[in-house]
Amino acid sequence: MCGRYVSTRRPEDLAGLFQVTRWNAEEVVEPSWNVAPTDAVWAVLERAHEDTGEVERQLRPLRWGLVPSWAKSPSIGSKMINARLETAHEKPAYRRAFAKRRCLLPADGFYEWQTIPANEKGKARKQPWFIAPEDASVMAMAGLYEYWRDPEGAEEDPAAWWMTCTIITTEAKDAAGRIHPRMPLAVARTDWASWLDPTHHDTEELRALLTTPAAGHLAARPVSTAVNNVRNNGPHLLDPPPPQAG
């Protein structure tokens, strides 16, 4: 799974990297070294312009934790932060989004936790690891997004509409595989356009775009247990743990 990640790049940089054609500079998502479920996150997606109908590549803030359009409450989103590659195309909560509403979620890297068994030095504990591309490039994590309307609000009120997202995960490989069995799936740069294309609905072709995570080049290192607390944030979360906690 993916329950926390790091996203610190400026929106200006993301807009250039992903060749975004529409971005509202008034929308703000602060850099975070501890992105957690229900946080606002940057997403790259393609939508048709309201007036011209022309497809635009947009940079938008979405809420992490997908809320299906049919959900009675947005609280379900906290349980839907990940969608499994093996079943996302057919699960009721995700299949419409898989066919029509796909996105990329930029990340510097992500965290996973490894259980350290108890020994004569102490109790069992969970050690966080930071996993990221070896070359420090951006991870374009495969995502799905959905619209949900608050029944308490008026349909024409923009605030009544929620845009939420989920991260597609797959079997962990390379450095991540020895830490946790699942990991977020990154889309190769050459496949960004095909993955984002809202007119591309062929499920098997889309699934074929999701192959080896991060091109198979990931590095993992243990980091401070300060990341365990969602209230903690800052670059110090990537510091190595003290020797006695290693």
Side-chain angles (χ1 to χ4, degrees):
M1 64 171 292
C2 176
R4 306 274 187 82
Y5 68 95
V6 177
S7 181
T8 64
R9 286 172 168 81
R10 302 184 310 161
E12 297 88 344
D13 296 334
L14 294 175
L17 176 64
F18 288 94
Q19 299 180 310
V20 167
T21 57
R22 184 178 179 183
W23 164 55
N24 183 353
E26 295 181 357
E27 295 179 325
V28 177
V29 175
E30 295 296 336
S32 178
W33 286 262
N34 201 359
V35 180
T38 74
D39 283 352
V41 299
W42 285 122
V44 178
L45 54 93
E46 291 189 354
R47 299 284 296 172
H49 190 279
E50 297 87 346
D51 299 323
T52 67
E54 182 179 352
V55 173
E56 301 174 313
R57 184 169 294 183
Q58 305 175 11
L59 182 66
R60 302 281 296 270
L62 307 185
R63 186 178 190 266
W64 183 18
L66 188 138
V67 180
S69 60
W70 42 259
K72 295 182 179 180
S73 165
S75 62
I76 192 175
S78 62
K79 302 176 182 178
M80 302 181 70
I81 62 172
N82 293 159
R84 295 174 67 93
L85 170 64
E86 297 86 347
T87 57
H89 63 293
E90 58 189 11
K91 289 285 187 180
Y94 304 121
R95 62 188 178 199
R96 290 183 64 186
F98 194 94
K100 299 180 179 181
R101 287 178 287 276
R102 298 175 299 276
C103 61
L104 297 171
L105 301 167
D108 302 359
F110 61 97
Y111 297 106
E112 290 295 358
W113 279 258
Q114 183 180 42
T115 300
I116 306 299
N119 55 35
E120 64 279 2
K121 296 183 179 180
K123 300 178 180 180
R125 57 188 173 84
K126 286 185 176 291
Q127 170 61 51
W129 289 69
F130 179 61
I131 304 167
E134 293 173 340
D135 60 2
S137 61
V138 68
M139 281 188 74
M141 299 188 296
L144 308 174
Y145 71 97
E146 192 56 271
Y147 290 93
W148 181 80
R149 187 176 75 83
D150 185 347
E152 301 279 323
E155 186 168 355
E156 63 274 11
D157 180 6
W161 289 89
W162 293 40
M163 289 185 70
T164 62
C165 62
T166 189
I167 297 171
I168 296 179
T169 65
T170 188
E171 180 182 356
K173 300 178 181 179
D174 293 354
R178 69 175 188 268
I179 300 168
H180 194 276
R182 305 290 299 181
M183 66 174 290
L185 215 164
V187 180
R189 182 187 293 262
T190 53
D191 293 327
W192 289 354
S194 295
W195 177 251
L196 294 175
D197 183 359
T199 67
H200 192 174
H201 306 311
D202 189 301
T203 299
E204 291 309 311
E205 289 183 3
L206 290 166
R207 295 184 73 226
L209 299 177
L210 306 177
T211 53
T212 306
H217 299 289
L218 292 169
R221 57 187 175 87
V223 294
S224 168
T225 55
V227 72
N228 294 353
N229 188 330
V230 295
R231 292 188 292 273
N232 293 333
N233 213 318
H236 67 283
L237 298 184
L238 300 182
D239 289 346
Q244 65 271 21

